Structures are given as C-alpha cells and as structure tokens.
Amino acid sequence: MIKAENLTKQFDNIMALDHVSAEIKDGNVFGLIGTNGAGKSTFLRLLSGILKPDEGTVTIDGESVFENENVKKRFFYISDDQYYFNNATPQDMMEFYSKVYPEFDRKRFESLIGNFGLEMRRKVHTFSKGMKKQLSVACGISANTDYLFCDETFDGLDPVMRQAVKSIFANDMAERNLTPIIASHNLRELEDICDHVGLLHRGGILLSKDLDDLKLNIHKVQCVLKDGMTEADLVSLDRIKTETRGKLYTMTVRGTREEVVGMIESFQPVFYEIIPLSLEEIFISETEVAGYDIKKLIF
Amino acid sequence: MILLDYKDRRPIYEQIVEKLKDLMICGVLEQDSQLPSVRSLATDLSINPNTIQRAYMELERRGFIYSVKGRGSFVADTSTIRALKTSELKNKLGDWVEEAKRAGIKEDKAHSWLAEEWIYEENGSGGGVKE
C-alpha cells in the first residue's frame, strides 16, 4: 500500500501541492484526475521519490520512498516525457533497465516490442511520439514491479493501442497483482478502468472515492410535478443542483437509485426519469458544491 | 462473449451481471458449466479485473453461480434465475396491460395480438425482419 500523508511541495512561490493525503490500495487501479497544473505530475514525482517533499511523507508498505533504492525497485514511473539516452535503441533501454530492476523480464520486453511493431535496434529518436509511449509502456510492464505510475500514458496512443495497453494492465493485475496509478485529464478514459479516483484541484485533493460508490450514489432526475406542487415540496431530496424550465425540473440528487425512486414516487409526479451520472458529470457537480470554477473542469 | 456498451451510464459490473444472466437464461451458459476466468474476461474486454470480480461476487450473492476454490466459477442451478425471469416478464406484461387499458385497447384485441406475435415468433422470426 502506498500512503501519502500531508504532502506539500512548493516551487518558489507556486504551491504545487498543499497538504495532500491519499492511500493507494494494492491490486486496485487508482485514477488521478485534475485540471492542467493541478499537481498530478508533481504528486507522481513525489510518490516516486524524484522530488523531496517540503512537508509530509510518502511510504510504500511503511518504508519511506525518498533516496531508498530498495523501495524504488518496487515501482516503475512512466513519466509524461520519458527520458531515453542519446542514440539509444529499445535494446539499449532494456539493458539499462534490467540493471536497475532485478526482475526485468527480457523475453516479455522483446515480445511486447515485437507485438507493438517496433524494432529492437532502431534509434529511439527516430520514433514518433506514440511509438515512444509504446516503448515506455513496454519498459514499465516488463520491469515486473508491484506499482506502475503512469503520467498521461494513454495520451498519444491510438485507440487500438489504448485497448491493448488496458488489456495488458488487466492481465498483469490478475496475474501478479500489479497496481497501476494513472494520472490523466481524460475522465472518459479512466471511467472504464479505475477502481478508485482521486480528484486534484489547485494542489489539494477534493475527493478520493471508489468509482462505483460515486456512481451509484448520485443521480440525475427529470420530473414534471403534479399541479399545485412546487420546488419547496421537494425538501426530502438531497439535492445538489436544481434547474427549472417551465414545469420540468432537472435535479442532481444524492442517494441510491432505490432511495431516489422511492422519494420521487411519493410525490406522484406526472412524469419522471432517473439516470446515473457519467464521471464527467459527477465531477462537475462535486466541484461545484466545493465552490470551484466548474468551467475549468470541462474540456 | 460479452459486448459492453460504453455509452451505458450504469457501472460496468452491472452490465456484466445482466449480460451473464441473459446468457444463463437462454442456455448459452449451461448449469455447472464453467464461467471464463476473471483474468481472461478482463483481458478480452480490456477492463479492470476487479470489475469482473465484483460482477462474479454479485452473481454468487444472488445464487446464480457458485465458486470452487482453486478452480473457478460455475453456473448454479438455473431454475432460480428462470423463476426470476418469469416473474419479471409477468410484471412487464402487467405494465403493458395497464398502458393498453389506458389507451383504450379492448381485451379481445390484446388476445389476438398476443396470438399473432406468438405464431410469428414460432414460425422463425430468426430470418426475416418484421414490417
């Protein structure tokens, strides 16, 4: 388990992370979401011990990460901008990483490179952006680490490759309990694969919850109330947001489907409809409640 | 075996539960036959194995499947699931009758429709598309 406590990092006068705490359970996919500049990459760099926190601690199973080689062997960090040596080929990178990671699986690496349609002896600087990403995924998976930190890894991969990478993650999670931590600003992408999501905004964690709990506990309701009833009669609903257009009410309501249906039916409305929210909509409503500028979260 | 609809707003595990239930009802998954392993299904669908696990747990909780330690999950006695489906269908018909009554459909009309549909389905709806 990875535990971050009270993490704070400041660059000159920019507060990148402000007392962030999070727990990442083994065998889960942790999704890290946030606007550009929210501190996702800084958070990952602190987790991987590249940066030293100004305050707070990062521990993996109780051991501190910073300057601790033994712990660092347990994760692989796929940075947004993966570094390759000058003139290096995938072959060279394999040689390098197998020195750093004792469990590096060379056969797996070679077969992944082959399956991705890359060449072991072609220079990395002649690769396209997407191909470099593929190479970094191959390195990360073959390193056979317990944790895999992915910073915008799906960015730049084509749809087929995205599915393939997700399949590989799924396989390794089931086979050797890999724990991927995926930072992304693409909510749609994370929706399919995450167990748990943490939302970063301006250096702080807004919420950290299981995705299914999030989804099952918030609904969008549309209804037309019967004559004589007004919004004031809806007090029993835990409403986050209400919009009225003539007689039609559109509301975002907390509660399970059964609870919401029960309450709505007790009003005997002329018509009603309940739909679960997408991850994107959940975040818009959650951040709105927190008083953040929602326009910054829609892209 | 399972097709997921990513536009569906329900959690993915619920979709998997529904799809597997359908497969058991229509007999594609027979009683005591083995369900695909969590890993192979997760890899096929490119989704989180924990999601599949959760779907299997839900099916087991409802008594539709059982698991054997070290061997995997198997389809349980399908009579429970069929009974559930039967009552579900009956309720649906109830709703339909209510709606038909409101629309002023007469009972004998409804009967003749049912008979027509029945014959149509039995005479190979598989081939043609209904007008």
Side-chain angles (χ1 to χ4, degrees), chain B residues 54-68:
Chain B
R54 185 158 182 185
Y56 279 16
M57 264 161 60
E58 181 65 22
L59 286 166
E60 198 173 336
R61 195 181 63 79
R62 293 200 225 161
F64 302 155
I65 64 170
Y66 62 92
S67 61
V68 180

Side-chain angles (χ1 to χ4, degrees), chain A residues 27-29 163 167 170-171 173 175 188 193 195 212 276 281, chain B residues 6 9 11-14 39 42-43 46-50 54:
Chain A
N28 274 4
V29 182
Q163 281 300 95
S167 282
N171 177 67
M173 284 178 69
E175 195 169 83
R188 187 62 207 82
I193 45 170
D195 294 292
D212 286 334
E281 290 167 320
Chain B
Y6 289 105
R9 285 154 175 266
I12 295 173
Y13 87 92
E14 273 190 19
R39 181 176 135 205
T43 317
S46 303
I47 60 165
N48 192 327
N50 296 334
R54 185 158 182 185

Side-chain angles (χ1 to χ4, degrees), chain A residues 12-295:
Chain A
D12 297 325
N13 54 3
I14 302 159
M15 193 60 128
L17 282 182
D18 189 4
H19 295 92
V20 168
S21 295
E23 262 180 32
I24 299 167
K25 283 191 217 121
D26 288 359
N28 274 4
V29 182
F30 189 91
L32 197 57
I33 317 175
T35 41
N36 299 333
K40 299 189 295 283
S41 298
T42 308
F43 185 67
L44 284 183
R45 281 193 200 119
L46 284 164
L47 283 195
S48 48
I50 296 170
L51 295 174
K52 189 171 190 244
D54 295 340
E55 238 180 88
T57 51
V58 182
T59 52
I60 296 184
D61 290 335
E63 281 194 73
S64 168
V65 172
F66 192 71
E67 305 260 299
N68 187 342
E69 255 181 58
N70 282 330
V71 174
K72 285 189 174 185
K73 277 181 188 143
R74 299 189 54 197
F75 60 79
F76 190 99
Y77 171 48
I78 303 178
S79 109
D80 188 20
D81 183 21
Q82 193 77 0
Y83 178 77
Y84 299 106
F85 300 122
N86 279 340
N87 276 322
T89 62
Q91 177 83 32
D92 299 333
M93 295 317 291
M94 177 176 82
E95 300 299 340
F96 171 70
Y97 282 123
S98 29
K99 286 199 184 81
V100 183
Y101 293 102
E103 302 280 311
F104 196 93
D105 187 341
R106 291 163 157 264
K107 277 217 181 80
R108 181 99 194 261
F109 183 77
E110 277 168 26
S111 86
L112 280 173
I113 292 295
N115 292 345
F116 287 168
L118 304 174
E119 290 155 53
M120 284 297 278
R121 299 195 178 277
R122 187 171 143 188
K123 296 240 187 304
V124 177
H125 70 81
T126 66
F127 282 10
S128 74
K129 182 186 170 196
M131 290 159 91
K132 282 180 189 159
K133 285 269 168 176
Q134 291 170 24
L135 174 59
S136 60
V137 170
C139 292
I141 287 286
S142 313
N144 254 326
T145 52
D146 297 338
Y147 305 96
L148 192 58
F149 301 160
C150 308
D151 196 355
E152 304 283 2
T153 303
F154 293 98
D155 235 41
L157 292 177
D158 68 52
V160 177
M161 199 50 77
R162 280 168 201 229
Q163 281 300 95
V165 171
K166 283 184 196 171
S167 282
I168 294 171
F169 281 10
N171 177 67
D172 280 51
M173 284 178 69
E175 195 169 83
R176 58 184 180 89
N177 207 27
L178 170 77
T179 306
I181 291 109
I182 305 172
S184 176
H185 52 234
N186 188 343
L187 303 181
R188 187 62 207 82
E189 192 96 279
L190 291 173
E191 202 159 7
D192 314 337
I193 45 170
C194 288
D195 294 292
H196 198 100
V197 282
L199 170 67
L200 274 177
H201 190 78
R202 291 185 197 151
I205 274 205
L206 268 195
L207 57 92
S208 167
K209 272 189 183 154
D210 277 351
L211 187 55
D212 286 334
D213 291 346
L214 263 183
K215 281 194 154 187
L216 292 174
N217 279 307
I218 193 163
H219 290 88
K220 195 180 240 174
V221 182
Q222 273 204 328
C223 70
V224 177
L225 294 174
K226 64 179 178 186
D227 286 334
M229 278 183 92
T230 60
E231 204 185 321
D233 295 311
L234 302 174
V235 278
S236 57
L237 288 172
D238 186 1
R239 284 173 296 160
I240 297 173
K241 194 180 160 189
T242 311
E243 270 176 38
T244 331
R245 210 165 283 145
K247 280 181 150 180
L248 184 74
Y249 290 87
T250 308
M251 300 172 283
T252 310
V253 181
R254 278 192 219 275
T256 63
R257 192 180 165 85
E258 290 73 33
E259 286 166 8
V260 177
V261 167
M263 267 187 268
I264 295 280
E265 283 194 341
S266 72
F267 303 139
Q268 298 175 315
V270 180
F271 146 91
Y272 77 93
E273 194 179 19
I274 294 182
I275 44 170
L277 264 65
S278 68
L279 185 55
E280 197 169 312
E281 290 167 320
I282 291 172
F283 280 122
I284 293 168
S285 33
E286 291 285 350
T287 45
E288 215 173 32
V289 174
Y292 283 109
D293 183 3
I294 63 150
K295 286 190 183 69

